[in-house]
Amino acid sequence: MAEDNHSLTNEFVLIGFTDHPDLKTLLFMVFFAIYLITMMGNLGLVVLIFTERRLHTPMYIFLANLALMDSCCSCAITPKMLQNFFSKDRLISLYECMAQFYFLCLAETADCFLLAAMAYDRYVAICNPLQYHTMMSKQLCIQMIIGAYIAGNLHSIIHVPLLLRLTFCRSHEINHFFCDVLPLYRLSCVDPYINELMILIFSGSVQVFSITIVLISYLSILYTVFQMKSKEGRGKALSTCASHFLSISIFYGSLLYMYIRPNSFNEGDKDIPIGIFYTLVIPLLNPFIYSLRNKEIINAMKRIMKRKPHNILKQISSATN
């Protein structure tokens, strides 16, 4: 009788934003522009750091990988969202849904660890400048980046099989513009208690661990900065950390509010606004937050613009070799 009353769902409909034709066109243009700027900004930052030898330091290597993960996040979400603006059915298969969530989870988890690594790098640079090259070697930098990617993959691998254990028979309409865990839990005929517990344990652990590193690093930085006698040195140190701290505050604030807030399972009306913020807005803002306040990146951009195109290609080929 259960099989007669419920048909199991292997495809979902992403409800998205609106069905109004004029608004759909306007929103498509807005989000398409955001997508283009996001990809150009993040991938441009990766290329800039890769080609400029003066930027081959741990701080900028972390930044390049952060930009790469922001590009991955945007690529996982935006193309399907843009397609659905003018799609009649707005269907997404179960396995497409799982793939979308996998890459999103990978990118967001890696971002947490990369931001923590960047905070530690700033701590060493400001609090232990004479020991910087010893404490923050290129080998340690590479190990941290590899660790961030491994953690992101493991976190995704944990949650995707747990999603596949659920059966979806209540509805096939996801009240969101991408496949996130909370809207899927609301459609499940199986009690998602285990899934919710695993999200709380693993996502909570990732965020608590990385936020703890960030807070300890920045408290140590503030203590060191306020002990400086030189106002110029104090201002330079605070300016170096300001963009990173702003990015961290926006990123962790939105993630904590989305997944760790009380009653997050029941408050489906808040999914889309918060989802737009941490999947679309933050990847858009990060390149500008880090670039516009950073003299080294601005100077590197000026040097790149003065070079001839064939010299840039020659430099890229020599760097890859």
Side-chain angles (χ1 to χ4, degrees):
M1 289 295 293
E3 291 181 2
D4 294 335
N5 293 333
H6 300 285
S7 59
L8 298 181
T9 300
N10 289 318
E11 286 185 323
F12 302 99
V13 176
L14 291 170
I15 298 298
F17 298 97
T18 180
D19 288 323
H20 195 282
D22 294 334
L23 282 177
K24 283 170 72 173
T25 303
L26 176 63
L27 288 173
F28 175 85
M29 293 172 65
V30 169
F31 287 119
F32 183 64
I34 289 174
Y35 180 59
L36 287 180
I37 296 169
T38 299
M39 297 306 294
M40 288 173 63
N42 283 291
L43 295 180
L45 195 57
V46 172
V47 171
L48 178 68
I49 293 170
F50 183 70
T51 54
E52 274 293 308
R53 292 187 181 275
R54 296 181 190 182
L55 300 180
H56 291 182
T57 61
M59 174 182 172
Y60 294 108
I61 294 171
F62 288 135
L63 180 55
N65 283 273
L66 183 70
L68 194 63
M69 286 295 97
D70 283 342
S71 300
C72 176
C73 176
S74 188
C75 284
I77 301 301
T78 313
K80 187 67 177 179
M81 179 191 70
L82 293 174
Q83 177 190 337
N84 285 342
F85 275 113
F86 300 106
S87 173
K88 291 182 179 179
D89 50 30
R90 289 176 289 186
L91 289 176
I92 184 169
S93 71
L94 176 63
Y95 294 105
E96 282 181 305
C97 197
M98 295 301 105
Q100 196 176 62
F101 173 73
Y102 176 88
F103 287 108
L104 176 65
C105 184
L106 163 64
E108 299 295 348
T109 305
D111 273 359
C112 286
F113 287 102
L114 288 170
L115 288 168
M118 290 171 75
Y120 175 74
D121 174 73
R122 291 300 84 205
Y123 156 74
V124 176
I126 294 171
C127 300
N128 299 282
L130 299 178
Q131 299 177 347
Y132 179 78
H133 294 291
T134 304
M135 295 177 66
M136 202 66 218
S137 63
K138 283 189 177 180
Q139 184 179 1
L140 178 61
C141 174
I142 292 168
Q143 288 173 349
M144 285 180 169
I145 291 167
I146 293 172
Y149 288 136
I150 290 172
N153 275 287
L154 288 175
H155 197 204
S156 299
I157 289 169
I158 288 168
H159 292 300
V160 169
L162 285 171
L163 283 173
L164 290 172
R165 68 175 277 275
L166 303 178
T167 54
F168 304 97
C169 58
R170 291 179 180 172
S171 172
H172 65 291
E173 294 184 346
I174 298 177
N175 187 25
H176 214 320
F177 61 95
F178 69 93
C179 284
D180 202 3
V181 287
L182 298 182
L184 288 172
Y185 292 168
R186 298 183 192 110
L187 302 183
S188 176
C189 306
V190 177
D191 186 0
Y193 172 76
I194 294 174
N195 298 65
E196 292 176 51
L197 183 63
M198 292 298 103
I199 280 281
L200 185 63
I201 291 172
F202 287 101
S203 296
S205 298
V206 167
Q207 293 186 44
V208 168
F209 173 75
S210 53
I211 288 172
T212 301
I213 292 174
V214 169
L215 288 176
I216 291 173
S217 298
Y218 272 97
L219 287 173
S220 301
I221 288 169
L222 287 174
Y223 178 76
T224 303
V225 165
F226 286 117
Q227 282 189 324
M228 292 179 179
K229 295 180 180 179
S230 168
K231 289 185 178 179
E232 185 180 346
R234 192 184 304 169
K236 187 178 179 181
L238 289 173
S239 177
T240 304
C241 299
S243 57
H244 182 235
F245 189 75
L246 176 62
S247 179
I248 284 173
S249 302
I250 295 170
F251 178 77
Y252 283 118
S254 58
L255 279 186
L256 286 169
Y257 187 79
M258 183 69 183
Y259 295 108
I260 312 298
R261 75 180 189 272
N263 298 320
S264 59
F265 180 79
N266 298 317
E267 295 179 339
D269 57 319
K270 296 181 180 179
D271 288 348
I272 290 180
I274 301 299
I276 290 172
F277 202 72
Y278 79 86
T279 61
L280 302 178
V281 176
I282 291 175
L284 170 70
L285 292 178
N286 273 345
F288 298 100
I289 289 173
Y290 285 105
S291 301
L292 296 178
R293 294 183 56 86
N294 192 301
K295 291 182 180 179
E296 288 188 44
I297 289 181
I298 292 171
N299 291 333
M301 289 173 67
K302 290 178 180 177
R303 288 194 296 270
I304 286 284
M305 291 172 69
K306 290 178 181 178
R307 294 175 193 167
K308 294 180 180 180
H310 69 271
N311 289 336
I312 297 173
L313 293 173
K314 190 184 292 184
Q315 187 172 359
I316 292 174
S317 62
S318 64
T320 54
N321 294 330

